[in-house]
Amino acid sequence: MSTSARTDIFARLRHAAGSAGEDVLARRDELGHAPPPALPAEDLAEAFLCNVLRNRGSIDTAADRSAAVKAVGRYVYQHYRSQRLVAGNDPRLAAMPWRDAGVLPRFGALESGEAVALSFARLGVAELGAAVTWTGKGNPAVNNLLPEHHIVLVDVDDLVATMEDAWQRMADAMREQGRPRGVNFIAGPSSTADIEGQLVYGAHGPRHWHVILLGETAPDTGQRARERAAGS
Amino acid sequence: MTETQHAHHGTRGKPSVALFVTCLADLLRPSVGEASLRLLRHARTAVSVPPQQTCCGQPAYNSGDYDAVRPLAKQVIAMLEYADYVVLPSGSCAGMICEHYPRLLEGEWRDRALQLAAKTYELTTFLVEVAGLEIQAQAPGSGPTVAYHDSCAGLRELDIREQPRKLLRELCGADIRELQQRDVCCGFGGTFCAKMPEISAKMADDKLNDVLATGAPILTGGDLGCLLSLAGRARRLDMDIEVRHVAELLVGDTDGPAIGEGD
Amino acid sequence: MESTSDRFLLNASEALRDTPRAQRRDVMAAFTPLIRNAAVEGFAAFEATRQHVKRVRQHSLDNLAFYLGQFEHEAVQNGMRVHFARDAGEMNSTVLDICQQHGARRVAKGKSMVTEETGLNDFLQDAGLTVRETDLGEYIIQEAGETPSHIVGPALHKSADEIRDLFLQKHDLGERELAATGDMVDEARQVLRRQFLDAEVGIIGSNALIAENGYSMLVTNEGNGDLCANLPPVLVICTTIDRVLPRAEDAAAMLRLLVRSATGQAQTCYTSYYSGPRRAQDPDGPLETHIVLLDNGRSDILEGDYREMLECIRCGACLNHCPIYSSVGGHAYGWVYPGPMGSVLTPLLTSLEASAALPNACTACGRCAEVCPADIPLPDLLRDLRAQESEQRIDAARWRLGLRMHAWLARQPRLYRALTSLAMTLLHRLGHRRGAFRRLPLASGWTGQRDFPVPQGKTFMQRYRQRQREH
């Protein structure tokens, strides 16, 4: 049945729209690109953090890996008075100097009862204020989707301005590493407005989304992002 | 087509204007036609009123009877193309000529439709943007307090927004109270109001309540269709709203009964 | 899904009398355009992006066989199993076969208008499966035994009180009262979390298919679709053949329009791209992934005069901006897709005869076309459908003949003048004191709801000619 449905549908499409010539891809490339969206700030890090805040995420910055684990520890302690969290089997996460913050993550996939998960993003997209993760060994999908608090580390070197830039980088990576099962652009805590249009956070996924930007940024980048987000 | 064209080709350097009063003004509210005529003369144009004019064909067109409208559209084009400009006191009828005649016709007739479209204007747009009407500006607030209803066709097809407001303010010192929902349809929609009367009435009620909330005693606008429908609904609900076409207000013709009012 | 589009006017009449719902619709109608406008104003490149995406969509539809083939090839490379379905029945039985092959009993579903179109839930449930909608809005209406009233916010017709009562009735809540909206969301979150974990099959829809890499894009705020795509051992994506875009960057450009138009956000919480089962070392994810590509009339639309309708990205902006949709609500339209886009799609996907009222549920105000991110001339398409009704004589004969007679009369100026002058003089004499008629023969459509303003007497053309003669 499926084969004949396939044949049938393709026959109808060719009839309706003419058969595709060799030059389809050439004509596709002639379409050019969408105009680039404006960013809220010239500085990529500031623009990214500003949009994270607009997405109702919270932000922190960490100049190095030691500062990053301390920022993680601080966040977890603030919310749970504990040091417990789960992190994916990402080599970059395993190599963090966790002892500096007295935090010892459990590495693996989130299990029932665990409230905080940490992911290391592949990319941060300034245009969206989104962190991009790929499903895979180092990044169980449930760690993004099921915790109450989702913390994401984004390396400042992995920031890109637009989705087009993100796909460019990912296409290169996919050529080397193969395509992942899933690519997730995460931009904020899970939300719903399905009851009378009222916005509520924590629909199915995380109620809180915390982004820590790791690496050298201009002084006071976080503060400027906060001011910019508050002003808009 | 035996009646002679009354071509007044630019007498004494004045541009010739063919006034198409529209069927609703012709039949139900001739004072709108009179007012348009006065405004165009005041704007130093050589106005003529083509005697064969009837209706632009919107009712059948909007109901999808394209075949019935094509010959009428051709007749209207042939009737009007002699003039330098064509002016109508209605956004939707001007939109019919500018937007929809070219869509409806093909070949040579499409070209003629496009040429006509290029010189066809809704009244207030023509006065402000083409004729550059000389205005002795009135003191703000010295005139009537009005709410202005933007008709959809004028608003979206012809971008009529500021032109009538400018004229109302400057020509008659009107105090314009803006509606909350300026860009929402009043529910007239031509035959829609008679095909789906309940929905249409709901939309008219929303518009009328919006008007009442402004506190303006007068509702005006540039399209008689909307105004007749709103006045009729206001009458039915005993709402105290005086409805007049913008052309009437611009010439100060406010002594006679408003739309839907008795002597 | 069963259609009641042939009862549009009755449905609408009932809806107008339901005052609390009508009031909520008014509130939404005032509110949603504001947030959409704010989002669009905050995105300076909106119009340029809209025109770019329009060209891309036209190009993909012009070469749909090519791009669908490319998508299929890439998706298969990624490990997807690709199925084609000519009609609703084929899609439903394909999905059921997949479920049965895995001995599945429980299905968790993300929001999908396509499966509403095919009536998949009922079909699977009739075969003994438990199907659980997991989008909060879809979950609410499933619990209530209703259908979506909006393609983006399916339960927006229900008040918080109604939803609270529904949960109190259906769930074992103990002492909890669910006073706040957040409490209700939490309740659904807890109930549904178990459903995700227990389901053997997850079903989701697709916002776009990317030909160059075989991914299917999913755009949500709740994250429920992602849970459906990641937790159950089998994933089925149900979508239609017209969703294909050439490149990932095209999906990105379309996304910028979609989110702003749909919810007034600059970005939704989750935008995900899925293709294929878990890879060798993956700790989680489905073991088997299917995609079912449905035609169900799309190839006919592609061939006909309404091709532009296939460029629709299902954002719901035309619903939010349509004064008729906000007057009568989505259910009045009687099928899956309401509002302006639904009034075009329903006749094309079901039957014009059975949905003849829908193309007439339009004042041609043009607000839908103005905001449509796909730049579809919806009022023109609706008028063309009315033209088709007129040609096929499925509109009311009295209207067709009356308007045709009017158009004919308008071409006979002398006769028109004579008849109208007489009629106006007569009407003026009868009604000038009161100024408006409460009733008028042959005009009950008008006078049923409003008075008919009395003409001023002599027509303009009579007056003008008289003056010409006097000069």
Side-chain angles (χ1 to χ4, degrees):
Chain A
M1 182 193 73
S2 192
T3 328
S4 72
R6 182 188 184 284
T7 314
D8 204 16
I9 287 171
F10 273 97
R12 293 168 70 87
L13 293 183
R14 289 203 183 88
H15 184 256
S19 59
E22 281 291 299
D23 56 343
V24 175
L25 294 178
R27 275 184 284 126
R28 179 194 75 175
D29 295 339
E30 282 166 18
L31 292 168
H33 311 287
L39 299 182
E42 255 180 59
D43 180 68
L44 209 53
E46 186 185 334
F48 171 70
L49 291 175
C50 173
N51 278 337
V52 168
L53 289 166
R54 286 177 180 172
N55 293 336
R56 298 288 179 271
S58 50
I59 60 165
D60 206 344
T61 52
D64 54 32
R65 298 191 306 162
S66 174
V69 293
K70 282 176 191 150
V72 172
R74 221 166 30 240
Y75 182 83
V76 180
Y77 188 75
Q78 257 172 21
H79 288 89
Y80 286 95
R81 302 272 171 249
S82 87
Q83 307 291 343
R84 292 181 50 209
L85 76 154
V86 64
N89 266 316
D90 186 324
R92 290 184 298 173
L93 287 174
M96 298 290 264
W98 292 109
R99 283 193 192 147
D100 294 3
V103 181
L104 266 183
R106 187 181 73 73
F107 290 98
L110 186 93
E111 284 171 11
S112 169
E114 290 180 310
V116 187
L118 172 69
S119 310
F120 207 131
R122 245 174 203 273
L123 295 170
V125 188
E127 169 199 358
L128 307 175
V132 183
T133 61
W134 286 13
T135 58
K137 188 174 171 228
N139 178 43
V142 290
N143 289 15
N144 297 335
L145 297 170
L146 289 180
E148 297 284 304
H149 291 255
H150 185 214
I151 308 173
V152 188
L153 281 171
V154 180
D155 194 308
V156 84
D157 291 336
D158 294 330
L159 287 181
V160 293
T162 66
M163 284 187 273
E164 285 85 346
D165 296 339
W167 277 106
Q168 191 86 54
R169 285 223 197 167
M170 291 198 292
D172 293 342
M174 284 176 188
R175 265 190 293 277
E176 280 175 31
Q177 304 161 31
R179 292 179 190 144
R181 174 180 68 81
V183 176
N184 301 100
F185 286 65
I186 302 167
S190 154
S191 71
T192 183
D194 273 350
I195 299 179
E196 287 194 351
Q198 294 179 47
L199 193 59
V200 176
Y201 293 99
H204 291 287
R207 296 172 201 275
H208 303 278
W209 186 59
H210 186 63
V211 173
I212 301 168
L213 187 61
L214 166 62
E216 289 291 338
T217 53
D220 300 327
T221 299
Q223 191 48 39
R224 275 182 288 120
R226 281 189 193 92
E227 281 161 16
R228 203 177 278 279
S232 58
Chain B
M1 293 285 285
T2 52
E3 292 180 64
T4 48
Q5 299 285 9
H6 289 231
H8 295 244
H9 278 290
T11 44
R12 270 175 261 127
K14 290 180 185 174
S16 71
V17 170
L19 173 63
F20 190 170
V21 292
T22 76
C23 63
L24 291 179
D26 176 28
L27 306 185
L28 299 175
R29 197 75 187 167
S31 52
V32 173
E34 308 273 7
S36 306
L37 207 51
R38 276 174 60 190
L39 286 164
L40 288 169
R41 285 189 178 136
H42 182 61
R44 299 181 173 282
T45 61
V47 198
S48 55
V49 179
Q52 307 94 321
Q53 62 179 277
T54 56
C55 167
C56 66
Q58 266 189 96
Y61 178 74
N62 284 329
S63 292
D65 196 345
Y66 299 160
D67 289 342
V69 186
R70 272 188 204 98
L72 178 57
K74 290 176 187 171
Q75 196 166 311
V76 172
I77 292 168
M79 170 183 83
L80 295 173
E81 58 193 351
Y82 71 91
D84 294 334
Y85 297 101
V86 174
V87 175
L88 305 91
S90 156
S92 75
C93 305
M96 179 72 186
I97 292 178
C98 293
E99 288 283 314
H100 298 284
Y101 278 8
R103 197 192 300 271
L104 198 56
L105 299 170
E106 286 170 356
E108 178 219 349
W109 277 105
R110 184 164 183 277
D111 295 341
R112 287 171 74 175
L114 285 169
Q115 280 164 20
L116 186 69
K119 57 182 181 181
T120 297
Y121 291 88
E122 179 274 339
L123 177 68
T124 61
T125 311
F126 179 80
L127 294 174
V128 171
E129 291 176 8
V130 183
L133 190 65
E134 273 178 39
I135 294 170
Q136 293 166 329
Q138 301 294 306
S142 60
T145 301
V146 302
Y148 192 88
H149 167 56
D150 294 276
S151 293
C152 298
L155 190 65
R156 300 203 174 80
E157 290 176 350
L158 304 174
D159 207 19
I160 302 169
R161 211 174 294 255
E162 288 312 311
Q163 303 89 325
R165 288 177 171 80
K166 178 179 160 69
L167 291 174
L168 281 166
R169 263 189 224 107
E170 296 181 2
L171 213 53
C172 33
D175 174 10
I176 301 169
R177 304 276 171 87
E178 295 297 352
L179 301 180
Q180 284 279 322
Q181 304 260 321
R182 272 173 65 170
D183 65 340
V184 177
C185 175
C186 69
F188 170 59
T191 52
F192 172 84
C193 75
K195 284 182 178 170
M196 302 199 170
E198 275 187 275
I199 305 172
S200 171
K202 190 268 178 192
M203 291 162 67
D205 292 354
D206 288 348
K207 188 59 71 183
L208 291 168
N209 285 323
D210 204 344
V211 173
L212 286 178
T214 66
I218 299 175
L219 168 64
T220 188
D223 266 88
L224 263 180
C226 307
L227 298 179
L228 289 161
S229 155
L230 289 170
R233 184 65 184 169
R235 237 3 260 274
R236 179 63 53 95
L237 299 176
D238 283 325
M239 281 179 172
D240 194 13
I241 300 175
E242 188 181 329
V243 184
R244 293 182 189 276
H245 191 278
V246 64
E248 297 173 308
L249 293 184
L250 291 177
V251 296
D253 176 11
T254 52
D255 294 337
I259 299 171
E261 276 185 7
D263 291 347
Chain C
M1 186 174 145
E2 289 290 310
S3 168
T4 63
S5 299
D6 58 337
R7 295 175 6 115
F8 175 77
L9 282 179
L10 288 171
N11 297 344
S13 184
E14 272 173 39
L16 286 167
R17 281 195 292 271
D18 185 345
T19 312
R21 286 198 174 178
Q23 282 170 347
R24 272 200 308 285
R25 285 195 296 268
D26 286 344
V27 171
M28 292 303 287
F31 175 66
T32 45
L34 294 179
I35 57 172
R36 178 263 172 202
N37 288 345
V40 168
E41 276 161 26
F43 177 42
F46 186 87
E47 188 53 38
T49 307
R50 187 193 198 195
Q51 295 314 320
H52 173 76
V53 171
K54 176 112 192 146
R55 287 193 298 277
V56 170
R57 287 288 269 170
Q58 279 169 347
H59 169 79
S60 15
L61 291 172
D62 287 346
N63 301 284
L64 189 52
F66 174 84
Y67 285 118
L68 195 65
Q70 192 188 15
F71 172 79
E72 182 192 20
H73 176 80
E74 295 298 326
V76 168
Q77 294 286 307
N78 298 339
M80 293 291 291
R81 302 192 188 184
V82 182
H83 310 261
F84 290 85
R86 278 169 291 213
D87 54 31
E90 283 189 357
M91 172 174 266
N92 291 348
S93 51
T94 302
V95 176
L96 179 61
D97 282 349
I98 295 166
C99 293
Q100 286 176 338
Q101 275 161 25
H102 293 273
R105 305 202 50 80
R106 282 157 302 195
V107 175
K109 233 171 127 255
K111 205 167 100 48
S112 150
M113 294 312 291
V114 172
T115 61
E116 295 284 346
E117 182 181 324
T118 66
L120 178 66
N121 288 10
D122 286 345
F123 185 81
L124 295 180
Q125 278 163 347
D126 288 348
L129 280 88
T130 306
V131 182
R132 177 48 76 200
E133 292 286 353
T134 63
D135 170 82
L136 179 60
E138 290 281 347
Y139 172 68
I140 290 165
I141 57 169
Q142 189 186 30
E143 287 283 66
E146 297 177 13
T147 55
S149 60
H150 189 289
I151 61 171
V152 174
L156 287 176
H157 59 284
K158 295 186 90 69
S159 69
D161 287 340
E162 281 176 76
I163 295 165
R164 184 176 300 111
D165 289 346
L166 181 72
F167 283 5
L168 289 170
Q169 182 198 329
K170 297 263 177 176
H171 298 179
D172 181 14
L173 292 169
E175 296 292 299
R176 290 176 301 144
E177 291 172 349
L178 306 184
T181 307
D183 299 338
M184 288 184 261
V185 174
D186 262 355
E187 170 62 15
R189 175 187 171 102
Q190 271 159 37
V191 170
L192 290 169
R193 181 75 52 112
R194 283 195 299 276
Q195 309 281 346
F196 289 120
L197 297 167
D198 291 347
E200 292 110 352
V201 175
I203 297 178
I204 59 171
S206 170
N207 293 92
L209 305 173
I210 302 170
E212 69 176 356
N213 59 23
Y215 282 101
S216 169
M217 179 169 83
L218 180 70
V219 182
T220 77
N221 275 312
E222 295 183 9
N224 66 302
D226 292 284
L227 289 169
C228 291
N230 285 288
L231 298 186
V234 179
L235 169 65
V236 184
I237 301 173
C238 290
T239 189
T240 53
I241 53 173
D242 51 323
R243 296 293 107 196
V244 189
L245 291 170
R247 306 168 292 193
E249 65 171 81
D250 300 325
M254 189 262 261
L255 180 69
R256 292 186 185 115
L257 302 175
L258 175 65
V259 289
R260 289 174 175 87
S261 302
T263 59
Q265 292 169 288
Q267 176 55 18
T268 45
C269 301
Y270 301 101
T271 307
S272 304
Y273 302 82
Y274 294 111
S275 196
R278 71 168 75 167
R279 310 296 193 243
Q281 307 230 300
D282 286 7
D284 60 1
L287 297 160
E288 202 174 291
T289 54
H290 300 260
I291 185 162
V292 190
L293 299 165
L294 175 71
D295 181 341
N296 209 31
R298 269 79 179 172
S299 55
D300 288 334
I301 298 177
L302 187 70
E303 189 159 11
D305 297 329
Y306 301 92
R307 180 187 279 203
E308 270 179 290
M309 199 55 220
L310 296 179
E311 292 165 20
C312 172
I313 62 173
R314 306 290 191 269
C315 69
C318 63
L319 281 61
N320 298 339
H321 288 77
C322 176
I324 291 154
Y325 173 86
S326 63
S327 294
V328 303
H331 289 143
Y333 292 78
W335 199 54
V336 181
Y337 306 104
M341 57 82 77
S343 296
V344 178
L345 270 181
T346 306
L348 296 177
L349 295 178
T350 61
S351 113
L352 182 58
E353 196 162 4
S355 55
L358 300 190
N360 291 282
C362 170
T363 61
C365 79
R367 207 171 173 221
C368 54
E370 186 175 61
V371 298
C372 174
D375 199 18
I376 301 170
L378 290 156
D380 291 337
L381 298 186
L382 289 167
R383 194 184 334 93
D384 288 346
L385 283 167
R386 297 198 287 276
Q388 225 173 301
E389 291 181 6
S390 174
E391 275 164 30
Q392 295 171 20
R393 304 192 167 223
I394 49 184
D395 55 344
R398 65 193 166 89
W399 276 109
R400 185 174 60 251
L401 297 176
L403 291 168
R404 180 154 279 208
M405 188 133 69
H406 175 262
W408 176 83
L409 187 61
R411 282 162 52 209
Q412 329 296 328
R414 281 165 186 273
L415 181 61
Y416 177 93
R417 196 85 57 229
L419 289 174
T420 54
S421 302
L422 194 68
M424 295 310 128
T425 306
L426 185 67
L427 288 174
H428 177 74
R429 278 203 195 133
L430 285 171
H432 68 95
R433 288 231 172 83
R434 189 170 179 276
F437 296 105
R438 280 193 159 267
R439 278 204 200 84
L440 211 56
L442 303 174
S444 62
W446 180 287
T447 56
Q449 295 287 343
R450 63 195 93 206
D451 287 6
F452 185 86
V454 171
Q456 285 172 317
K458 284 198 171 110
T459 67
F460 174 81
M461 293 310 284
Q462 276 179 303
R463 295 171 193 216
Y464 183 74
R465 198 170 285 194
Q466 201 166 7
R467 268 208 309 274
Q468 294 283 88
R469 263 188 245 117
E470 284 162 10
H471 278 296

